[in-house]
Amino acid sequence: MRRICAVNRIARPVSGNLLRRLALASIISNVAIVVTGGAVRLTASGLGCPTWPRCTDDSYVTTPEMGVYGVIEFSNRMLTFAVGLIALATLLAVLLHRPRRPGLLPLAVAVFLGIPAQAVVGGITVLTNLNPWVVGLHFLASMAVIAAAYALWRRIGDPDGPTVAVVPAPLRTLARITTGVTVAVLAIGTWVTGSGPHAGDHGAARNGLDPETISQVHADGVFLLIGLSVALIFAFRAVGAQRATRAAIILLAVELSQGVIGFVQYFTHVPAILVGAHMLGSCLVLLAALAVQWSTRERHPVAPTPQAAPADTATPVPVTA
């Protein structure tokens, strides 16, 4: 009897509020691991554990001989397990939620599987002696997981009815273009980082691009992104889409803040603390762009199924002789 009760407690349906909190925790934890990963690189601890999946050839954990660099790198690896546990808890919550919500399971699986995939890419960065192109891919893989976690969080908050556009099709296209430019700016940002001084280790190679030239390309992309965001604000306001307008204003504010950090770090010779803030800003820019994309449509609740009237209350049909 006790065993049956325990099973029933484990299989108890999960509330929607708990499910949404877990999804939010997944977003926050994935942003946090991006920032801590940046701290690993900015403290030149990228090869604090010189191999992978072990920390050394003989140990899975750091050793006293590896000093503070080994502690920093190993701590970031351990944080991956915490992020994975949150993703696993979210996945289990989706499975236990009743009634089963359509569309949630694929997103929860994507977030959960994205954690080990991102960890493998991180291991490849170590095995390739922090190749800057692989390091950039490691960052972009984290962005993909954050995007999936955000989609899951928003989908949990939406009803399960049909999707309805709240702005005209050309504005939805403009929002998608803005999201695409956001991703391009993030990708080019990794090229800037790969050409700069923060290699993650004193012996790691750079990508060979001219820092000044690639920084200008990155800045041009940022200017384009800001222009698109301003256009979205005026366009959304013109059609009376208040929620979309607010989302576009927030996106512009985040972009301007990120741009200020970027320009200051460039003209102050890329201090580590500002580079770390810029990495956090990159996550916020992506989330703000996704929020704009999400604001261009809404889901309506599922319409109740009409029930047939009972037979004894049906309208009688007149019979003629």
Side-chain angles (χ1 to χ4, degrees), residues 53-139:
R54 295 175 183 264
C55 194
T56 70
D57 291 335
D58 302 319
S59 175
Y60 281 98
V61 300
T62 185
T63 62
E65 293 77 13
M66 301 170 69
V68 66
Y69 298 117
V71 172
I72 294 174
E73 164 65 5
F74 183 73
S75 298
N76 187 64
R77 292 188 182 188
M78 290 299 98
L79 183 59
T80 301
F81 288 99
V83 176
L85 287 175
I86 294 174
L88 176 60
T90 306
L91 175 58
L92 293 177
V94 168
L95 291 172
L96 293 175
H97 186 270
R98 294 294 183 273
R100 182 68 60 84
R101 298 282 306 278
L104 297 188
L105 185 58
L107 290 171
V109 170
V111 174
F112 176 66
L113 295 182
I115 305 302
Q118 193 259 10
V120 170
V121 176
I124 295 174
T125 66
V126 174
L127 298 178
T128 57
N129 197 34
L130 304 184
N131 181 291
W133 300 107
V134 183
V135 172
L137 179 61
H138 187 43
F139 173 79

Side-chain angles (χ1 to χ4, degrees), residues 214-281:
I214 196 62
S215 294
Q216 184 60 57
V217 173
H218 182 57
D220 292 342
V222 172
F223 289 137
L224 174 60
L225 181 58
I226 290 175
L228 289 171
S229 301
V230 171
L232 282 175
I233 292 173
F234 284 102
F236 288 156
R237 182 172 293 177
V239 298
Q242 296 182 359
R243 187 166 66 99
T245 301
R246 287 194 299 269
I249 291 174
I250 292 173
L251 173 60
L252 178 62
V254 174
E255 290 167 352
L256 292 175
S257 301
Q258 178 75 334
V260 169
I261 295 173
F263 276 108
V264 172
Q265 73 172 10
Y266 179 79
F267 289 109
T268 55
H269 307 291
V270 203
I273 184 66
L274 289 182
V275 176
H278 203 56
M279 293 186 69
L280 173 60

